[in-house]
């Protein structure tokens, strides 16, 4: 019988994930620090690519170099929060589905949703990028002379959560293919999340609308950093409302929920041809 | 040689085992990244800053970089195969392990060249991109770049052995290198704060950035080819030496 899920229970589950994360870190601190450092270097490198262009040319389109830095700080914070809560393939969900590992979750006395929410929490190894992102945001904020108020901070948190919802929903939407084609679609979440990340660091200002609009709708990379950053700087792009990212996140989350549930129903009736009794995949 | 060609052929076929349709997401993402990147450069270059490159050269640089991305920063399966245990299979065959990795990697390029690079090369004129090399030395530079890429990849594989198969970390570092130091995303020449002068001598600059700058005609040919030859002469013996020593430390499990 499944446990009763309360806030206290969720905090306890997060604590278990944090403890496992700390155990991994302490198992071999040298390797763990290398892994954390490598992750930070990689994310800063991806973000700095566009900043170096902005610095060289004194800005990109209608954004100054400091505004681009602000946008990249936002992007780095997103990768930081992602690593903080998504270190257990719980956001790269196609891997769990494709490898037949959903079975492992089914036998736990916890609802699937609760397990997925809490299983990727990695505060000790996943928090580095968030710290770097916050530092970059403070630097950019000072250079831009931003007037920081509690309302602004609340807006920042809301936009960060909205962006995360969009990322997770898109990953789950795409990952639903793994219910039907587990081998071929095992890495489709990576394609949806990681392969597009460089594109999400592009400032879209100055580009034709034929490029901007698809990147705010079909492939929402413009919503990963560019659009929310401009809203936080008080310059909503394309004369659209500052609430557009929230609306988009809601719609894609609903679509993902419907598609994922349908896939899950298919999975529980057919099972996975990759699952073997000792838990490894074919 | 025939055995290596068959290995390459098998590798090419393996990429399409699940059907061509499953290659499409990757190809689509590449196209969706390339087109905005072309417009990004149009926006940036239209600001009028003097950077020693014309817009046409910049577009050719970016376009070709996407078309030949697999060759410009070579990535073999070695790091991943170490952690998955697949690499042990290579030792059971009467072929050089590094030779097999090279053949497998080159074979794996074929589907992408056919399904992505070739169609986009044909579409280039429609996007206003000029794809004719400024010098035939481009092909020499590309060959040196690929050779150096394999040497650097072998060194990354050795690092993976040293770090007990942390191929995830290796991939992250490799991606960072490709993004900033290789010049495939931002030409080394465009780096700000005086970084360009220093960065052009580091080994990663002899990867993608070198043939691309030869292709568009902004490179000092003698200098760039000499640097590429020099890094090949330094890194290949180093890679082979470290590879031979690292084999004793190789630990693989899984299957």
């Amino acid at each position: 019988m499944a446990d009763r899920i309360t806030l206290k229970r969720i905090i306890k589950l997060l604590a278990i994930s944090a403890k496992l994360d700390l155990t991994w870190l302490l198992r071999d601190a040298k390797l763990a620090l290398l892994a954390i450092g490598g992750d930070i270097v990689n994310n800063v490198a991806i973000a700095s690519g566009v900043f170096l262009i902005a610095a060289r040319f004194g800005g990109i389109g209608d954004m100054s170099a400091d505004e681009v830095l602000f946008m990249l700080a936002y992007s780095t914070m997103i990768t930081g929060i992602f690593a903080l809560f998504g270190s257990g393939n719980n956001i790269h969900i196609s891997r769990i589905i494709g490898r037949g590992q959903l079975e492992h979750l089914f036998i736990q006395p916890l609802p699937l949703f609760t397990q997925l929410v809490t299983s990727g929490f990695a505060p000790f190894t996943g928090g580095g990028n968030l710290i770097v992102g916050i530092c970059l945001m403070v630097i950019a904020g000072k250079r831009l002379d931003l007037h920081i108020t509690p309302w602004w901070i609340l807006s920042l948190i809301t936009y960060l959560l909205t962006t995360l919802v969009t990322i997770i929903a898109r990953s789950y939407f795409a990952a639903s293919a793994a219910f039907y084609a587990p081998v071929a679609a095992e890495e489709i979440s990576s394609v949806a999340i990681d392969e597009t990340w460089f594109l999400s660091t592009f400032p879209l200002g100055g580009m034709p609308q034929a490029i901007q609009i698809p990147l705010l709708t079909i492939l929402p990379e413009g919503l990963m950093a560019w659009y929310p950053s401009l809203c936080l700087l008080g310059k909503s792009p394309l004369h659209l409302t500052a609430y557009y990212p929230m609306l988009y996140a809601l719609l894609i989350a609903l679509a993902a929920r419907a598609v994922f549930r349908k896939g899950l129903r298919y999975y529980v009736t057919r099972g996975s041809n990759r699952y073997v009794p000792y838990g490894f995949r074919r | 040689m025939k055995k290596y060609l068959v290995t390459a052929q098998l590798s090419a076929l393996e990429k399409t085992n699940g059907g061509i349709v499953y290659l499409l997401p990757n190809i689509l993402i590449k196209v969706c990244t390339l087109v905005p990147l072309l417009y990004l450069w149009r926006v940036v270059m239209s600001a009028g800053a003097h950077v020693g490159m014309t817009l046409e050269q910049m577009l050719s640089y970016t376009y070709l970089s996407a078309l030949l991305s697999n060759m410009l920063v070579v990535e073999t399966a070695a790091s991943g195969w170490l952690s998955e245990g697949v690499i042990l299979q290579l030792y059971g065959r009467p072929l050089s392990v590094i030779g097999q990795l090279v053949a497998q990697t080159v074979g794996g390029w074929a589907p992408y060249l056919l399904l992505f690079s070739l169609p986009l090369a044909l579409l280039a004129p429609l996007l206003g991109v000029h794809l004719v090399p400024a010098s035939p030395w481009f092909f020499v530079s590309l060959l040196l770049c690929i050779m150096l890429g394999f040497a650097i990849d072998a060194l990354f594989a050795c690092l993976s052995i040293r770090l007990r198969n942390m191929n995830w970390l290796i991939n992250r570092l490799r991606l960072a290198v490709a993004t900033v130091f290789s010049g495939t995303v931002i030409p080394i020449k465009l780096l700000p704060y005086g970084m360009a002068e220093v960065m052009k001598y580091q080994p990663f600059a002899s990867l993608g950035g070198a043939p691309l700058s030869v292709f568009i005609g902004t490179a000092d040919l003698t200098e760039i080819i000499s640097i590429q030859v020099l890094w090949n002469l330094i890194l290949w013996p180093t890679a082979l030496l470290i590879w031979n020593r690292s084999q004793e430390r190789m630990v693989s499990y899984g299957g």
Side-chain angles (χ1 to χ4, degrees):
Chain A
M1 188 177 164
D3 287 4
R4 191 163 161 261
I5 301 306
T6 58
L7 182 62
K8 191 177 166 189
R9 180 75 174 123
I10 288 190
I11 291 169
K12 275 187 177 176
L13 289 167
L14 288 172
I16 292 170
S17 294
K19 189 179 166 187
L20 287 170
D21 185 41
L22 183 64
T23 309
W24 187 80
L25 182 72
L26 296 178
R27 185 195 60 166
D28 192 329
K30 191 176 77 178
L31 290 182
L33 291 173
L34 274 170
I36 297 165
D39 194 34
I40 292 173
V41 166
N42 173 259
N43 285 314
V44 170
I46 288 181
S48 65
V50 173
F51 177 69
L52 290 174
I53 298 171
R56 180 72 175 81
F57 290 88
I60 298 177
D62 52 3
M63 292 180 90
S64 68
D66 289 333
E67 286 173 337
V68 171
L69 180 63
F70 180 85
M71 188 189 96
L72 297 173
Y74 183 93
S75 173
T76 309
M77 284 178 79
I78 286 291
T79 55
I81 300 170
F82 184 94
L84 192 61
F85 288 97
S87 295
N89 282 342
N90 51 333
I91 302 181
H92 287 94
I93 189 69
S94 65
R95 290 181 184 155
I96 290 181
I97 302 166
R99 294 170 187 174
Q101 293 167 345
L102 268 182
E103 317 282 336
H104 306 173
L105 304 183
F106 289 160
I107 60 170
Q108 300 295 324
L110 284 168
L112 187 60
F113 177 78
T114 309
Q115 291 183 62
L116 291 173
V117 167
T118 55
S119 63
F121 186 53
F124 300 102
T125 56
N129 270 309
L130 182 59
I131 294 166
V132 172
I134 292 169
C135 293
L136 285 175
M137 180 136 308
V138 170
I139 294 167
K142 281 195 173 175
R143 290 175 70 98
L144 288 165
D145 208 13
L146 281 181
H147 181 57
I148 307 295
T149 61
W151 172 249
W152 189 90
I153 292 171
L154 192 64
S155 301
L156 172 65
I157 293 169
T158 308
Y159 276 115
L160 288 170
L161 288 175
T162 304
T163 307
L164 273 177
V165 168
T166 306
I167 293 170
I168 295 166
R170 188 169 60 162
S171 172
Y172 273 62
F173 188 91
S176 301
F179 287 122
Y180 308 97
V183 178
E186 180 183 324
E187 283 297 335
I188 201 163
S189 288
S190 313
V191 176
I193 299 169
D194 306 322
E195 301 293 320
T196 58
W197 196 251
F198 180 56
L199 184 55
S200 73
T201 61
F202 290 5
L204 304 184
M207 291 192 191
Q209 288 200 348
I211 299 289
Q212 288 174 329
I213 290 170
L215 289 177
L216 293 174
T217 51
I218 304 163
L219 194 66
E221 299 314 308
L223 296 177
M224 300 298 153
W226 177 68
Y227 198 106
S229 301
L230 283 181
C231 291
L232 288 165
L233 293 171
K235 298 159 68 171
S236 292
L238 303 174
H239 308 295
L240 288 171
T241 167
Y243 299 109
Y244 173 69
M246 290 77 167
L247 178 67
Y248 188 92
L250 177 68
L251 292 176
I252 194 168
L254 288 172
R257 184 174 182 270
V259 172
F260 193 82
R261 285 174 77 94
K262 194 178 173 200
L264 194 58
R265 275 197 295 274
Y266 177 87
Y267 184 88
V268 295
T269 52
R270 301 290 181 92
S272 171
N273 63 357
R274 301 192 81 190
Y275 184 74
V276 285
Y278 50 90
F280 203 75
R281 61 186 184 275
R282 289 188 177 94
Chain B
M1 190 64 193
K2 192 183 170 191
K3 290 173 183 170
Y4 291 111
L5 287 174
V6 172
T7 305
Q9 190 186 359
L10 284 171
S11 171
L13 291 172
E14 185 196 7
K15 294 275 176 194
T16 55
N17 272 353
I20 286 174
V21 71
Y22 291 108
L23 290 176
L24 291 181
N26 275 320
I27 290 172
L28 196 65
I29 294 294
K30 278 174 186 269
V31 174
C32 290
T33 305
L34 175 60
V35 175
L37 192 56
L38 290 176
Y39 278 96
L40 182 77
W41 282 118
R42 281 182 198 275
V43 171
V44 167
M45 300 290 276
S46 64
H50 180 70
V51 290
M53 284 171 87
T54 64
L55 175 62
E56 288 70 26
Q57 285 175 320
M58 193 64 238
L59 295 182
S60 301
Y61 190 103
T62 305
Y63 205 82
L64 192 71
S65 174
L67 262 53
L68 303 181
S69 59
N70 291 333
M71 300 178 190
L72 298 178
V73 181
V74 172
E75 184 178 347
T76 72
S79 302
W81 280 0
L82 275 164
S83 69
E84 291 168 10
V86 181
I87 200 136
L88 294 180
Q89 293 174 11
L90 305 188
Y91 284 89
R93 296 174 188 158
L95 293 164
S96 138
V97 172
I98 289 186
Q100 288 181 70
L101 284 168
V102 171
Q104 194 271 344
T105 307
V106 173
W109 294 341
Y112 281 104
L113 286 173
L114 283 172
L115 295 169
F116 171 72
S117 306
L118 183 63
L120 256 72
L122 296 172
L123 285 173
L126 296 177
L127 292 165
V129 178
H130 185 64
L131 278 187
V132 177
S135 159
W137 282 98
F138 160 71
F139 298 101
V140 177
S141 180
L142 181 63
L143 185 66
L144 288 166
C145 155
I146 294 170
M147 286 167 61
L148 186 63
F150 278 112
I152 290 176
D153 184 84
L155 288 169
F156 272 121
C158 295
L159 186 63
S160 180
I161 295 168
R162 285 269 173 180
L163 296 180
R164 290 185 230 154
N165 299 343
M166 290 189 70
N167 63 313
W168 174 82
L169 169 64
I170 306 300
N171 286 337
R172 304 295 278 177
L173 289 173
R174 193 198 300 265
L175 193 60
V177 165
T179 306
V180 178
F181 300 115
S182 72
T184 48
V185 179
I186 308 165
I188 300 286
K189 199 174 179 171
L190 294 194
L191 291 174
Y193 313 125
M195 290 163 73
E197 273 306 305
V198 183
M199 294 279 273
K200 71 178 179 184
Y201 295 111
Q202 46 90 22
F204 302 112
S206 290
L207 295 174
L212 290 171
S213 55
V214 173
F215 184 90
I216 61 168
T218 56
D220 177 341
L221 280 176
T222 314
E223 184 186 53
I224 214 153
I225 302 275
S226 305
I227 294 173
Q228 282 189 293
V229 170
L230 184 69
W231 278 121
N232 267 287
L233 288 175
I234 294 171
L235 291 186
W236 259 113
T238 310
L240 290 174
L241 183 72
I242 298 179
W243 176 268
N244 285 333
R245 285 188 180 175
S246 299
Q247 285 179 112
E248 297 298 321
R249 291 172 171 266
M250 207 178 276
V251 178
S252 274
Y253 61 92

